[in-house]
Short mmCIF file of all heavy atoms in Angstrom, two decimals:
data_model
loop_
_atom_site.label_atom_id
_atom_site.label_comp_id
_atom_site.label_asym_id
_atom_site.label_seq_id
_atom_site.Cartn_x
_atom_site.Cartn_y
_atom_site.Cartn_z
N HIS O 6 0.82 -1.21 0.00
CA HIS O 6 0.00 -0.01 -0.01
C HIS O 6 0.86 1.27 -0.01
O HIS O 6 0.47 2.29 -0.56
CB HIS O 6 -0.94 0.00 1.20
CG HIS O 6 -2.10 -0.95 1.06
ND1 HIS O 6 -2.01 -2.28 1.34
CD2 HIS O 6 -3.38 -0.74 0.63
CE1 HIS O 6 -3.17 -2.88 1.10
NE2 HIS O 6 -4.01 -1.96 0.66
N ARG O 7 2.03 1.19 0.63
CA ARG O 7 2.94 2.37 0.60
C ARG O 7 3.43 2.60 -0.84
O ARG O 7 3.57 3.75 -1.24
CB ARG O 7 4.12 2.09 1.54
CG ARG O 7 5.16 3.20 1.63
CD ARG O 7 4.69 4.36 2.45
NE ARG O 7 4.33 3.96 3.80
CZ ARG O 7 5.18 3.82 4.81
NH1 ARG O 7 6.48 4.07 4.62
NH2 ARG O 7 4.77 3.45 6.03
N VAL O 8 3.66 1.54 -1.56
CA VAL O 8 4.11 1.67 -2.98
C VAL O 8 3.02 2.36 -3.78
O VAL O 8 3.29 3.29 -4.57
CB VAL O 8 4.41 0.28 -3.59
CG1 VAL O 8 4.72 0.42 -5.06
CG2 VAL O 8 5.58 -0.34 -2.86
N VAL O 9 1.75 1.96 -3.59
CA VAL O 9 0.65 2.58 -4.34
C VAL O 9 0.47 4.04 -3.93
O VAL O 9 0.25 4.90 -4.79
CB VAL O 9 -0.66 1.79 -4.09
CG1 VAL O 9 -1.82 2.47 -4.79
CG2 VAL O 9 -0.49 0.34 -4.58
N ASP O 10 0.58 4.35 -2.66
CA ASP O 10 0.49 5.74 -2.21
C ASP O 10 1.56 6.59 -2.88
O ASP O 10 1.31 7.74 -3.29
CB ASP O 10 0.60 5.83 -0.70
CG ASP O 10 -0.62 5.34 0.01
OD1 ASP O 10 -1.72 5.34 -0.59
OD2 ASP O 10 -0.55 4.95 1.19
N LEU O 11 2.77 6.05 -2.96
CA LEU O 11 3.86 6.77 -3.59
C LEU O 11 3.56 7.02 -5.05
O LEU O 11 3.76 8.15 -5.58
CB LEU O 11 5.17 6.00 -3.46
CG LEU O 11 6.39 6.59 -4.17
CD1 LEU O 11 6.76 7.93 -3.59
CD2 LEU O 11 7.58 5.61 -4.05
N ALA O 12 3.02 6.02 -5.76
CA ALA O 12 2.68 6.18 -7.16
C ALA O 12 1.57 7.21 -7.32
O ALA O 12 1.62 8.06 -8.24
CB ALA O 12 2.25 4.84 -7.75
N LEU O 13 0.56 7.20 -6.46
CA LEU O 13 -0.54 8.15 -6.54
C LEU O 13 -0.03 9.58 -6.38
O LEU O 13 -0.39 10.47 -7.18
CB LEU O 13 -1.56 7.84 -5.49
CG LEU O 13 -2.48 6.62 -5.71
CD1 LEU O 13 -3.25 6.28 -4.42
CD2 LEU O 13 -3.43 6.85 -6.87
N VAL O 14 0.80 9.80 -5.37
CA VAL O 14 1.30 11.18 -5.12
C VAL O 14 2.23 11.59 -6.26
O VAL O 14 2.21 12.75 -6.69
CB VAL O 14 2.01 11.26 -3.78
CG1 VAL O 14 2.60 12.63 -3.55
CG2 VAL O 14 1.01 10.96 -2.64
N THR O 15 3.08 10.68 -6.73
CA THR O 15 3.99 11.02 -7.83
C THR O 15 3.20 11.47 -9.07
O THR O 15 3.53 12.50 -9.68
CB THR O 15 4.84 9.79 -8.20
OG1 THR O 15 5.63 9.41 -7.09
CG2 THR O 15 5.76 10.13 -9.36
N MET O 16 2.16 10.73 -9.41
CA MET O 16 1.34 11.08 -10.59
C MET O 16 0.58 12.40 -10.35
O MET O 16 0.41 13.20 -11.29
CB MET O 16 0.38 9.95 -10.89
CG MET O 16 1.08 8.64 -11.27
SD MET O 16 -0.07 7.26 -11.48
CE MET O 16 -0.87 7.71 -13.02
N HIS O 17 0.15 12.62 -9.14
CA HIS O 17 -0.56 13.86 -8.81
C HIS O 17 0.37 15.07 -8.95
O HIS O 17 0.02 16.08 -9.54
CB HIS O 17 -1.13 13.78 -7.40
CG HIS O 17 -1.76 15.06 -6.90
ND1 HIS O 17 -3.02 15.47 -7.30
CD2 HIS O 17 -1.29 16.02 -6.09
CE1 HIS O 17 -3.32 16.59 -6.72
NE2 HIS O 17 -2.27 16.99 -5.99
N LEU O 18 1.59 14.95 -8.38
CA LEU O 18 2.52 16.07 -8.43
C LEU O 18 2.96 16.37 -9.86
O LEU O 18 3.27 17.54 -10.19
CB LEU O 18 3.74 15.76 -7.56
CG LEU O 18 3.49 15.67 -6.03
CD1 LEU O 18 4.77 15.29 -5.33
CD2 LEU O 18 2.96 16.98 -5.51
N ARG O 19 3.00 15.37 -10.71
CA ARG O 19 3.42 15.55 -12.10
C ARG O 19 2.23 15.75 -13.02
O ARG O 19 2.37 15.64 -14.25
CB ARG O 19 4.28 14.37 -12.50
CG ARG O 19 5.59 14.33 -11.70
CD ARG O 19 6.41 13.10 -11.90
NE ARG O 19 7.57 13.11 -11.00
CZ ARG O 19 8.41 12.12 -10.83
NH1 ARG O 19 8.23 10.98 -11.49
NH2 ARG O 19 9.44 12.23 -10.01
N GLN O 20 1.08 16.00 -12.43
CA GLN O 20 -0.15 16.37 -13.15
C GLN O 20 -0.59 15.30 -14.15
O GLN O 20 -1.13 15.61 -15.22
CB GLN O 20 0.06 17.73 -13.85
CG GLN O 20 0.37 18.84 -12.86
CD GLN O 20 0.53 20.19 -13.53
OE1 GLN O 20 0.72 20.27 -14.75
NE2 GLN O 20 0.47 21.27 -12.76
N ARG O 21 -0.36 14.05 -13.80
CA ARG O 21 -0.88 12.97 -14.61
C ARG O 21 -2.13 12.33 -13.95
O ARG O 21 -2.78 11.47 -14.54
CB ARG O 21 0.20 11.90 -14.83
CG ARG O 21 1.39 12.44 -15.63
CD ARG O 21 2.24 11.32 -16.18
NE ARG O 21 3.06 10.68 -15.17
CZ ARG O 21 4.26 11.12 -14.84
NH1 ARG O 21 4.78 12.21 -15.42
NH2 ARG O 21 4.99 10.47 -13.95
N LEU O 22 -2.37 12.80 -12.75
CA LEU O 22 -3.51 12.28 -11.96
C LEU O 22 -3.97 13.38 -11.03
O LEU O 22 -3.14 14.17 -10.53
CB LEU O 22 -3.07 11.07 -11.14
CG LEU O 22 -4.13 10.20 -10.51
CD1 LEU O 22 -4.88 9.41 -11.61
CD2 LEU O 22 -3.50 9.21 -9.53
N LEU O 23 -5.28 13.52 -10.87
CA LEU O 23 -5.84 14.52 -9.96
C LEU O 23 -6.38 13.79 -8.73
O LEU O 23 -7.30 12.98 -8.85
CB LEU O 23 -6.92 15.33 -10.64
CG LEU O 23 -7.67 16.31 -9.71
CD1 LEU O 23 -6.72 17.38 -9.18
CD2 LEU O 23 -8.85 16.95 -10.47
N LEU O 24 -5.84 14.12 -7.55
CA LEU O 24 -6.35 13.60 -6.30
C LEU O 24 -7.16 14.71 -5.66
O LEU O 24 -6.60 15.67 -5.13
CB LEU O 24 -5.19 13.14 -5.38
CG LEU O 24 -4.28 12.05 -5.98
CD1 LEU O 24 -3.19 11.70 -4.95
CD2 LEU O 24 -5.06 10.81 -6.36
N ALA O 25 -8.47 14.54 -5.67
CA ALA O 25 -9.34 15.59 -5.12
C ALA O 25 -9.51 15.39 -3.62
O ALA O 25 -9.43 14.27 -3.12
CB ALA O 25 -10.72 15.52 -5.77
N ARG O 26 -9.74 16.50 -2.89
CA ARG O 26 -9.89 16.43 -1.46
C ARG O 26 -11.13 15.62 -1.06
O ARG O 26 -11.27 15.20 0.08
CB ARG O 26 -9.93 17.81 -0.83
CG ARG O 26 -11.09 18.66 -1.25
CD ARG O 26 -11.26 19.90 -0.34
NE ARG O 26 -10.09 20.73 -0.33
CZ ARG O 26 -9.37 20.98 0.77
NH1 ARG O 26 -9.70 20.42 1.92
NH2 ARG O 26 -8.34 21.77 0.73
N THR O 27 -12.02 15.33 -1.99
CA THR O 27 -13.18 14.51 -1.75
C THR O 27 -12.84 13.03 -1.68
O THR O 27 -13.70 12.20 -1.34
CB THR O 27 -14.24 14.71 -2.83
OG1 THR O 27 -13.66 14.46 -4.12
CG2 THR O 27 -14.78 16.12 -2.78
N GLY O 28 -11.56 12.66 -1.99
CA GLY O 28 -11.15 11.27 -1.91
C GLY O 28 -11.28 10.51 -3.21
O GLY O 28 -11.29 9.29 -3.23
N TRP O 29 -11.36 11.24 -4.33
CA TRP O 29 -11.49 10.59 -5.65
C TRP O 29 -10.20 10.84 -6.44
O TRP O 29 -9.58 11.91 -6.34
CB TRP O 29 -12.69 11.16 -6.42
CG TRP O 29 -13.99 10.56 -5.96
CD1 TRP O 29 -14.64 10.78 -4.77
CD2 TRP O 29 -14.82 9.67 -6.71
NE1 TRP O 29 -15.79 10.07 -4.71
CE2 TRP O 29 -15.94 9.38 -5.90
CE3 TRP O 29 -14.73 9.08 -7.98
CZ2 TRP O 29 -16.96 8.52 -6.31
CZ3 TRP O 29 -15.75 8.23 -8.40
CH2 TRP O 29 -16.84 7.95 -7.56
N ALA O 30 -9.87 9.87 -7.29
CA ALA O 30 -8.73 10.00 -8.19
C ALA O 30 -9.25 10.07 -9.61
O ALA O 30 -10.09 9.24 -10.02
CB ALA O 30 -7.80 8.80 -8.04
N THR O 31 -8.76 11.03 -10.38
CA THR O 31 -9.17 11.22 -11.78
C THR O 31 -7.94 11.21 -12.67
O THR O 31 -6.96 11.92 -12.41
CB THR O 31 -9.90 12.58 -11.96
OG1 THR O 31 -11.04 12.61 -11.05
CG2 THR O 31 -10.38 12.74 -13.38
N VAL O 32 -8.01 10.40 -13.69
CA VAL O 32 -6.90 10.27 -14.62
C VAL O 32 -6.85 11.50 -15.53
O VAL O 32 -7.84 11.85 -16.15
CB VAL O 32 -7.02 8.99 -15.47
CG1 VAL O 32 -5.88 8.94 -16.51
CG2 VAL O 32 -6.98 7.75 -14.58
N VAL O 33 -5.69 12.15 -15.58
CA VAL O 33 -5.47 13.28 -16.46
C VAL O 33 -4.72 12.85 -17.72
O VAL O 33 -5.06 13.18 -18.85
CB VAL O 33 -4.73 14.42 -15.76
CG1 VAL O 33 -4.44 15.58 -16.71
CG2 VAL O 33 -5.51 14.90 -14.54
N ASP O 34 -3.67 12.06 -17.52
CA ASP O 34 -2.86 11.53 -18.63
C ASP O 34 -2.95 10.02 -18.57
O ASP O 34 -2.40 9.38 -17.67
CB ASP O 34 -1.41 11.99 -18.44
CG ASP O 34 -0.51 11.48 -19.60
OD1 ASP O 34 -1.02 10.78 -20.47
OD2 ASP O 34 0.68 11.82 -19.59
N PRO O 35 -3.62 9.38 -19.52
CA PRO O 35 -3.83 7.92 -19.47
C PRO O 35 -2.58 7.11 -19.82
O PRO O 35 -2.61 5.88 -19.76
CB PRO O 35 -4.95 7.69 -20.48
CG PRO O 35 -4.81 8.80 -21.45
CD PRO O 35 -4.34 9.98 -20.66
N GLU O 36 -1.53 7.78 -20.19
CA GLU O 36 -0.28 7.08 -20.55
C GLU O 36 0.67 7.08 -19.35
O GLU O 36 1.35 8.05 -19.09
CB GLU O 36 0.38 7.77 -21.75
CG GLU O 36 -0.48 7.79 -23.00
CD GLU O 36 -0.73 6.37 -23.53
OE1 GLU O 36 0.14 5.50 -23.35
OE2 GLU O 36 -1.80 6.17 -24.15
N GLY O 37 0.69 5.99 -18.62
CA GLY O 37 1.59 5.93 -17.48
C GLY O 37 3.04 5.88 -17.91
O GLY O 37 3.39 5.31 -18.94
N ARG O 38 3.94 6.48 -17.09
CA ARG O 38 5.35 6.55 -17.44
C ARG O 38 6.09 5.28 -17.10
O ARG O 38 7.20 5.04 -17.57
CB ARG O 38 6.00 7.75 -16.76
CG ARG O 38 5.44 9.11 -17.18
CD ARG O 38 5.61 9.30 -18.68
NE ARG O 38 5.25 10.67 -19.08
CZ ARG O 38 4.05 11.06 -19.44
NH1 ARG O 38 3.04 10.19 -19.45
NH2 ARG O 38 3.80 12.30 -19.79
N ASP O 39 5.56 4.47 -16.20
CA ASP O 39 6.18 3.19 -15.87
C ASP O 39 5.05 2.21 -15.55
O ASP O 39 3.87 2.54 -15.53
CB ASP O 39 7.19 3.34 -14.71
CG ASP O 39 6.54 3.94 -13.45
OD1 ASP O 39 5.39 3.57 -13.11
OD2 ASP O 39 7.20 4.77 -12.79
N GLU O 40 5.46 0.98 -15.30
CA GLU O 40 4.46 -0.08 -15.09
C GLU O 40 3.63 0.16 -13.83
O GLU O 40 2.46 -0.20 -13.77
CB GLU O 40 5.15 -1.44 -15.01
CG GLU O 40 4.18 -2.62 -15.02
CD GLU O 40 3.24 -2.62 -16.22
OE1 GLU O 40 3.68 -2.24 -17.32
OE2 GLU O 40 2.07 -2.99 -16.04
N MET O 41 4.23 0.78 -12.82
CA MET O 41 3.50 1.07 -11.61
C MET O 41 2.40 2.07 -11.85
O MET O 41 1.27 1.97 -11.35
CB MET O 41 4.45 1.57 -10.51
CG MET O 41 3.88 1.49 -9.11
SD MET O 41 3.69 -0.22 -8.57
CE MET O 41 5.39 -0.74 -8.44
N GLU O 42 2.72 3.12 -12.63
CA GLU O 42 1.71 4.11 -12.97
C GLU O 42 0.60 3.50 -13.83
O GLU O 42 -0.59 3.79 -13.63
CB GLU O 42 2.36 5.30 -13.67
CG GLU O 42 3.27 6.12 -12.78
CD GLU O 42 3.71 7.42 -13.43
OE1 GLU O 42 3.23 7.73 -14.53
OE2 GLU O 42 4.55 8.12 -12.84
N ARG O 43 1.00 2.64 -14.75
CA ARG O 43 -0.04 1.97 -15.58
C ARG O 43 -0.90 1.06 -14.71
O ARG O 43 -2.13 0.92 -14.99
CB ARG O 43 0.62 1.18 -16.72
CG ARG O 43 1.21 2.08 -17.78
CD ARG O 43 1.69 1.30 -18.97
NE ARG O 43 2.95 0.63 -18.69
CZ ARG O 43 4.17 1.19 -18.91
NH1 ARG O 43 4.26 2.45 -19.36
NH2 ARG O 43 5.26 0.51 -18.63
N THR O 44 -0.34 0.47 -13.68
CA THR O 44 -1.14 -0.35 -12.77
C THR O 44 -2.16 0.50 -12.03
O THR O 44 -3.32 0.09 -11.88
CB THR O 44 -0.20 -1.04 -11.74
OG1 THR O 44 0.67 -1.94 -12.44
CG2 THR O 44 -0.99 -1.83 -10.72
N VAL O 45 -1.76 1.67 -11.59
CA VAL O 45 -2.69 2.58 -10.92
C VAL O 45 -3.82 2.98 -11.86
O VAL O 45 -5.01 3.02 -11.47
CB VAL O 45 -1.96 3.81 -10.38
CG1 VAL O 45 -2.92 4.86 -9.87
CG2 VAL O 45 -1.01 3.40 -9.24
N ILE O 46 -3.47 3.31 -13.11
CA ILE O 46 -4.48 3.73 -14.09
C ILE O 46 -5.48 2.59 -14.33
O ILE O 46 -6.69 2.82 -14.40
CB ILE O 46 -3.80 4.17 -15.39
CG1 ILE O 46 -3.00 5.48 -15.13
CG2 ILE O 46 -4.85 4.41 -16.48
CD1 ILE O 46 -2.14 5.90 -16.30
N ARG O 47 -4.96 1.36 -14.44
CA ARG O 47 -5.86 0.23 -14.63
C ARG O 47 -6.76 0.03 -13.40
O ARG O 47 -7.94 -0.34 -13.53
CB ARG O 47 -5.06 -1.05 -14.90
CG ARG O 47 -4.44 -1.09 -16.32
CD ARG O 47 -3.94 -2.48 -16.62
NE ARG O 47 -2.83 -2.90 -15.77
CZ ARG O 47 -1.55 -2.67 -16.06
NH1 ARG O 47 -1.20 -2.05 -17.20
NH2 ARG O 47 -0.60 -3.09 -15.24
N ALA O 48 -6.21 0.28 -12.21
CA ALA O 48 -7.00 0.11 -11.00
C ALA O 48 -8.11 1.17 -10.92
O ALA O 48 -9.17 0.88 -10.36
CB ALA O 48 -6.09 0.21 -9.77
N ILE O 49 -7.87 2.34 -11.47
CA ILE O 49 -8.91 3.38 -11.48
C ILE O 49 -10.08 2.97 -12.38
O ILE O 49 -11.23 3.26 -12.10
CB ILE O 49 -8.31 4.73 -11.93
CG1 ILE O 49 -7.33 5.22 -10.82
CG2 ILE O 49 -9.39 5.77 -12.18
CD1 ILE O 49 -6.57 6.47 -11.22
N GLY O 50 -9.75 2.28 -13.44
CA GLY O 50 -10.81 1.75 -14.29
C GLY O 50 -11.02 2.52 -15.57
O GLY O 50 -10.49 3.65 -15.75
N PRO O 51 -11.84 2.01 -16.47
CA PRO O 51 -12.06 2.65 -17.78
C PRO O 51 -12.78 3.97 -17.70
O PRO O 51 -12.72 4.77 -18.65
CB PRO O 51 -12.87 1.61 -18.56
CG PRO O 51 -13.55 0.80 -17.49
CD PRO O 51 -12.59 0.75 -16.34
N GLN O 52 -13.48 4.21 -16.58
CA GLN O 52 -14.18 5.49 -16.45
C GLN O 52 -13.22 6.66 -16.22
O GLN O 52 -13.59 7.83 -16.38
CB GLN O 52 -15.19 5.43 -15.27
CG GLN O 52 -16.26 4.35 -15.43
CD GLN O 52 -17.22 4.64 -16.56
OE1 GLN O 52 -17.47 5.81 -16.88
NE2 GLN O 52 -17.72 3.59 -17.18
N GLY O 53 -12.00 6.33 -15.80
CA GLY O 53 -10.99 7.37 -15.54
C GLY O 53 -11.18 8.07 -14.23
O GLY O 53 -10.51 9.09 -13.97
#
């Protein structure tokens, strides 16, 4: 879970993912830069 948290924050800081204060994650850039980021994008689902 620490690995996933790191990936989430990394993508948020680099504006590839939006982490809203409401507790939702929104995909901004669907092209992950590494396999961990692509795993997070797949976990978010096709709705983005």
Side-chain angles (χ1 to χ4, degrees):
H6 285 83
R7 180 75 59 82
V8 174
V9 177
D10 286 337
L11 176 63
L13 286 169
V14 175
T15 300
M16 297 174 72
H17 174 79
L18 294 177
R19 295 171 184 173
Q20 299 181 345
R21 296 197 285 273
L22 194 70
L23 174 63
L24 301 180
R26 63 166 59 242
T27 55
W29 281 70
T31 302
V32 176
V33 177
D34 181 359
E36 299 295 330
R38 296 302 188 271
D39 56 41
E40 189 56 38
M41 198 67 67
E42 292 190 5
R43 288 188 284 272
T44 296
V45 170
I46 293 171
R47 287 194 295 269
I49 292 174
Q52 301 292 330

